[in-house]
Amino acid sequence: MTYPKSSFLFSLLLFTFSFAITAQEVIPDNQHLFDNFSYRQGNVYRSASGKPGPEYWQNSADYNLEATLDDKTHTVSGNVNIHYTNNSPETLDFIWLYLEQDRFTENSRGTLTTPVQGNRYNGDVEGGFELNNVSAKTKTGTSSKYLITDTRMQLWLDKPLAAKGGEVDIKMDFKFKVPVEGMDRMGRLDVKDGTIYAIAQWYPRVAVFDDVVGWNTDPYLGAGEFYCEYGNYDVKITAPADQTVICSGILQNPKEVLTKDQQDRWAQAEKSDKTVYIIKPDEVGKPIAHAKTGGALTWHFKMENTRDVAWASSKAFIWDAARMNLGDGKTGLAQSVYPKESDGKTAWSRSTEFTKGSVEFYSKTYFAYPYTNAINVAASVGGMEYPGVSFCHYQSKGADLWDVTDHEFGHNWFPMIVGSNERRYPWMDEGFNTFINHYSTVAFNNGEFPTTTDNPKSLVRYLSFDQRESIDTYPDVAHPFNLAYTAYYKPAAGLYLLREYILGPERFDNAFKSYIHTWAYKHPQPNDFFNHIENVAGEDLSWFWKGWFYGNGNIDLGISEVKPSQGNYLITVENDGQIPMPVELQVIYTDNTTENIKLPVEIWQRGNSWQHLLKTTKQVQRVVLDPNKMLPDVNPLNDTWNKLQ
């Protein structure tokens, strides 16, 4: 810097500056709306660019599971062998596991925190795990010491498990009664031809140990879903021979459990884009539908690099399938199992078509579907997702069946591939999934079914509700009325605005797809998502994350004045809300021509009012803010200026 040599010149500058200060009031700025709002700096585990850091780690758990279904007592009994690897940089004195079936007891925290009048997450109270022969074996010895607290088990080791590669084999026998009401995520349903068992949260499983909070031991209460480690699964399910069993993963012994006709039909379905019956409606309940007429059969499945498995069993199943075309020459098999009560041309006979269309779209658009099978199960569950398997309500049909099928299979990308923590951040799976569901619905069968995600204005009524809650509200805390908005609709609308209004499709898609590929089979946190989108898109979006995702404010932009100015026009826009946004204006001239203007979000950093100089020789007739009506502006009355006649 060069300093002025003349003291007179310096005095003159100082006087001029002082006069400017006294002559014009300094208006407080809005920089606080644009500042970073959380600890988003990088470290060796998670980089500031939103990628796993050079020392990122996560533990793994491989499962060998054997289970037997007793359809007389409605019980599942079995054993689990978990091979757990500690890849973390610290030793572990114990392992935490989840016992989610223990939610179905009278004194569970979930039961005791369910409102008296009930809610969607009602659960039976005559269940819970019976555990025996618990052991944890390491290279140094075996321990059977454990402590159960609600839906968690703390299993102590004989000696601390070594960091960076220590291994332990955890074994135990388990048994539980399948609830009728399984919190709308599992359970059993009686239909004319038998009982449908939808089985999930069915085995003791390891909790996630990560670099953020250590052991993730939040109890299973109701609305909060799951956070799981990845691993390989080997599953054997024994059921009465007159039952049809489906499960996540690949069937290993089709010749033992399927009839010759069913094997031939399976092979036909693998080559067909049209739905092919494996068990026809008129075969249900007859010996022709089963490989064995009495006793039991064991169905064997395997699945690699997955965070969970679920299964279903019934003697009432119609079963059909069709080929899925997943790109790069890879194919899979879309399947559906459902009772006669669900059959019909507008109902479950289209389920496989819906499943195929949904999975193919996401596979092509975002990330290749990693599993071989996608199976839709008609059950008493309203809609619930597991890797490769979905439970959807057996009475759904038409647009409702498409919506629930598409939504549940969309979850294979969030959180099955991108393994976020659903129990704490449901918006990272429900919201992201609702967002991609919009584009899948637009694409399916030339837009056969409606979608409203492209109309964020539909949220204005909720956003004006004085009892609304913010997106970051924990699911088990959120009011049931608000949860649909905090977890699903508002985050989906936010991503839609980010793509269609703020960044544009190309910049957003580059960033969003990169996020999926970067965090596939890993455990991203909210800040990882924020950082990654910003770094790939090249935009500081702190104002948006803070306002839309971590705040409860609203968007309220308006036009306060349009006036002639030296042969041109001055357009004054104002921000009366708490969330700044870029401004789009459409100017309509008296000759009916139009001009579109875009103003960056930075106009609001200095204050809540901004003047834009419109250079034109024409006369302005009308100015419209947000001409495409994309913003959920809570006060549309000031969005239009008209010249007085």
Side-chain angles (χ1 to χ4, degrees):
M1 177 181 287
T2 301
Y3 292 90
K5 296 180 179 180
S6 168
S7 60
F8 173 78
L9 180 58
F10 179 78
S11 300
L12 180 62
L13 288 171
L14 183 61
F15 173 79
T16 304
F17 182 65
S18 301
F19 178 80
I21 290 177
T22 57
Q24 183 174 345
E25 180 184 0
V26 177
I27 300 173
D29 62 39
N30 282 330
Q31 186 56 42
H32 66 284
L33 298 177
F34 291 79
D35 289 337
N36 246 327
F37 64 98
S38 65
Y39 187 86
R40 293 173 58 194
Q41 290 85 346
N43 56 44
V44 295
Y45 304 126
R46 298 169 189 272
S47 73
S49 64
K51 293 182 178 181
E55 297 182 27
Y56 175 83
W57 56 268
Q58 65 189 53
N59 294 347
S60 64
D62 297 329
Y63 292 81
N64 277 283
L65 288 155
E66 294 182 352
T68 299
L69 172 66
D70 186 332
D71 63 350
K72 302 294 189 295
T73 60
H74 305 302
T75 58
V76 171
S77 57
N79 59 79
V80 59
N81 184 348
I82 308 170
H83 184 76
Y84 182 74
T85 304
N86 176 26
N87 296 312
S88 80
E90 61 182 283
T91 60
L92 301 177
D93 297 319
F94 46 77
I95 308 294
W96 278 103
L97 296 93
Y98 271 115
L99 305 177
E100 281 132 340
Q101 283 298 316
D102 282 355
R103 164 62 176 81
F104 304 112
T105 60
E106 286 190 4
N107 294 316
S108 72
R109 292 188 185 186
T111 298
L112 296 175
T113 55
T114 299
V116 174
Q117 67 272 22
N119 58 26
R120 174 184 173 182
Y121 305 107
N122 285 344
D124 289 354
V125 295
E126 57 177 2
F129 277 123
E130 296 177 22
L131 301 178
N132 290 290
N133 301 318
V134 178
S135 68
K137 183 179 181 181
T138 65
K139 289 182 179 180
T140 57
T142 301
S143 172
S144 297
K145 178 183 176 182
Y146 65 89
L147 177 66
I148 294 176
T149 306
D150 193 52
T151 54
R152 292 82 47 88
M153 167 191 272
Q154 187 178 30
L155 181 55
W156 293 83
L157 306 176
D158 66 310
K159 291 183 180 179
L161 189 64
K164 299 183 178 180
E167 298 176 333
V168 57
D169 283 301
I170 301 168
K171 296 182 180 181
M172 67 188 78
D173 300 330
F174 62 87
K175 182 179 180 180
F176 65 92
K177 184 175 182 179
V178 180
V180 175
E181 295 290 339
M183 296 173 63
D184 206 26
R185 296 202 175 100
M186 63 162 300
R188 64 181 201 259
L189 169 70
D190 290 331
V191 293
K192 181 181 178 181
D193 293 308
T195 299
I196 296 175
Y197 297 91
I199 309 297
Q201 294 84 57
W202 59 282
Y203 56 93
R205 59 182 173 184
V206 176
V208 174
F209 182 75
D210 63 24
D211 61 289
V212 182
V213 301
W215 285 108
N216 287 262
T217 56
D218 296 330
Y220 183 36
L221 298 178
E225 294 186 6
F226 311 106
Y227 188 29
C228 309
E229 294 288 16
Y230 290 92
N232 300 325
Y233 283 72
D234 189 308
V235 183
K236 294 179 179 177
I237 300 166
T238 301
D242 60 358
Q243 300 258 337
T244 297
V245 177
I246 63 88
C247 181
S248 303
I250 300 173
L251 180 62
Q252 301 296 298
N253 59 338
K255 293 182 179 180
E256 296 175 19
V257 296
L258 302 181
T259 68
K260 182 61 169 64
D261 283 344
Q262 289 167 357
Q263 295 174 52
D264 292 342
R265 294 168 184 174
W266 184 288
Q268 180 186 352
E270 288 181 316
K271 300 176 182 178
S272 174
D273 289 322
K274 300 294 184 181
T275 301
V276 174
Y277 281 117
I278 296 174
I279 297 179
K280 298 179 180 180
D282 61 4
E283 295 173 344
V284 172
K286 299 177 181 178
I288 193 175
H290 304 286
K292 187 178 174 182
T293 57
L297 280 174
T298 298
W299 301 64
H300 186 194
F301 303 88
K302 287 185 179 180
M303 196 173 194
E304 296 181 350
N305 200 22
T306 181
R307 50 174 258 164
D308 195 9
V309 290
W311 55 281
S313 182
S314 183
K315 61 179 69 175
F317 281 151
I318 300 167
W319 191 0
D320 61 34
R323 177 179 62 190
M324 297 185 295
N325 302 296
L326 304 176
D328 295 329
K330 181 183 177 182
T331 62
L333 203 62
Q335 304 169 53
S336 299
V337 289
Y338 50 96
K340 292 177 182 176
E341 288 87 340
S342 303
D343 197 12
K345 293 182 179 180
T346 62
W348 276 78
S349 63
R350 293 194 70 185
S351 168
T352 292
E353 175 195 354
F354 293 167
T355 300
K356 170 182 165 67
S358 178
V359 172
E360 287 180 346
F361 176 84
Y362 299 127
S363 187
K364 176 182 178 181
T365 307
Y366 298 110
F367 188 96
Y369 185 69
Y371 313 128
T372 300
N373 299 309
I375 310 169
N376 206 12
V377 180
S380 58
V381 179
M384 187 61 201
E385 73 281 355
Y386 301 97
V389 169
S390 294
F391 299 153
C392 296
H393 202 272
Y394 77 108
Q395 292 178 324
S396 293
K397 58 181 60 178
D400 288 340
L401 181 57
W402 160 259
D403 286 342
V404 68
T405 300
D406 183 46
H407 182 79
E408 304 313 333
F409 280 105
H411 272 304
N412 281 276
W413 282 261
F414 306 103
M416 305 308 167
I417 294 172
V418 182
S420 59
N421 185 344
E422 301 175 90
R423 191 152 295 173
R424 291 193 175 194
Y425 312 114
W427 58 270
M428 292 185 73
D429 75 293
E430 299 294 0
F432 288 18
N433 187 28
T434 302
F435 167 71
I436 66 174
N437 293 161
H438 163 71
Y439 297 97
S440 176
T441 299
V442 170
F444 180 74
N445 203 19
N446 297 314
E448 178 181 356
F449 300 115
T451 172
T452 59
T453 304
D454 58 349
N455 181 25
K457 278 189 174 294
S458 64
L459 289 178
V460 168
R461 183 177 179 184
Y462 172 74
L463 296 174
S464 303
F465 177 48
D466 61 3
Q467 298 297 312
R468 68 186 183 277
E469 295 171 286
S470 60
I471 288 174
D472 61 315
T473 306
Y474 273 26
D476 289 310
V477 175
H479 189 281
F481 172 83
N482 288 329
L483 184 60
Y485 291 92
T486 61
Y488 297 74
Y489 305 142
K490 189 179 178 184
L495 293 184
Y496 182 82
L497 289 171
L498 194 59
R499 183 182 194 268
E500 307 293 346
Y501 186 87
I502 298 170
L503 293 178
E506 186 173 6
R507 292 173 72 196
F508 176 88
D509 289 349
N510 288 338
F512 192 63
K513 291 178 185 178
S514 177
Y515 167 74
I516 297 172
H517 284 257
T518 298
W519 287 98
Y521 313 111
K522 296 181 177 67
H523 296 314
Q525 299 291 315
N527 286 339
D528 299 319
F529 173 70
F530 300 149
N531 288 344
H532 197 85
I533 295 297
E534 288 188 0
N535 275 269
V536 179
E539 197 74 39
D540 184 348
L541 296 164
S542 293
W543 56 273
F544 184 62
W545 310 131
K546 182 189 300 185
W548 191 261
F549 285 85
Y550 278 72
N552 215 9
N554 280 317
I555 299 169
D556 183 6
L557 305 179
I559 303 170
S560 61
E561 187 178 46
V562 179
K563 65 179 182 180
S565 176
Q566 299 179 354
N568 297 298
Y569 284 88
L570 276 178
I571 301 174
T572 302
V573 289
E574 292 189 350
N575 176 19
D576 295 324
Q578 299 77 42
I579 305 178
M581 291 291 286
V583 173
E584 293 188 4
L585 298 169
Q586 184 177 64
V587 179
I588 299 96
Y589 295 104
T590 53
D591 63 359
N592 290 324
T593 59
T594 62
E595 181 177 348
N596 292 324
I597 300 167
K598 292 187 177 182
L599 303 177
V601 71
E602 286 84 1
I603 64 174
W604 305 121
Q605 280 186 290
R606 297 177 181 174
N608 292 321
S609 181
W610 183 259
Q611 288 186 325
H612 174 72
L613 178 62
L614 173 64
K615 295 180 179 180
T616 182
T617 58
K618 298 181 179 182
Q619 291 191 347
V620 175
Q621 178 68 38
R622 192 169 183 236
V623 181
V624 178
L625 187 147
D626 185 25
N628 296 316
K629 305 303 177 188
M630 294 186 67
L631 295 178
D633 191 316
V634 295
N635 178 23
L637 298 179
N638 59 358
D639 290 353
T640 302
W641 176 89
N642 287 295
K643 179 182 178 182
L644 295 177
Q645 300 298 324

